[in-house]
Amino acid sequence: MNCPQCNSNNIVKNGHTHYGKQRFRCQECRRQFGENPTRQPIDEATRSLIEKLLKERLALAAIARVTGVSERWLQMYVNQKYYLLPKQVEVTQKNRVG
Ligand SMILES: [Zn+2]
C-alpha cells in the first residue's frame, strides 16, 4: 500500500474509523487515510460476470450486490453499453392529413 498523496510506502497503522475499518497514516506527509484509498478499476472477470447477469435480466441492484460494484457504476456501464449498440431504426410513419 502506498500513500494516496505522496505515494510513499512508509505507512503505519493508525487506529480504526468509526465503521471499524483500518486506518493508516503516512510517515512522510502525515496524511491519514482508510483502506483502499484509491478507486479500484472493475476487472475483466467482473465485467464478464456482469454481462452474464445482464443477459439473465436481473435487476441492476441485484447485479451490483452479487458482483460488488456500485449501482452507480453499473448504471453508467449499462448506459454506455446501450449507447454503443447500433440502434434499431424505428420507422414511424405518420399519416399526414392535409
Ligand atoms: Zn504521504
Side-chain angles (χ1 to χ4, degrees), residues 25-60:
R25 195 183 69 209
C26 174
Q27 298 277 60
E28 303 294 331
C29 69
R30 301 271 156 188
R31 187 188 161 116
Q32 293 184 38
F33 54 94
E35 245 171 333
N36 298 325
T38 53
R39 267 197 257 169
Q40 297 288 320
I42 311 298
D43 61 42
E44 279 304 312
T46 306
R47 283 169 194 260
S48 69
L49 179 59
I50 289 170
E51 294 292 324
K52 281 181 196 165
L53 296 174
L54 283 172
K55 280 177 190 158
E56 297 296 327
R57 297 188 170 276
L58 285 183
L60 290 189

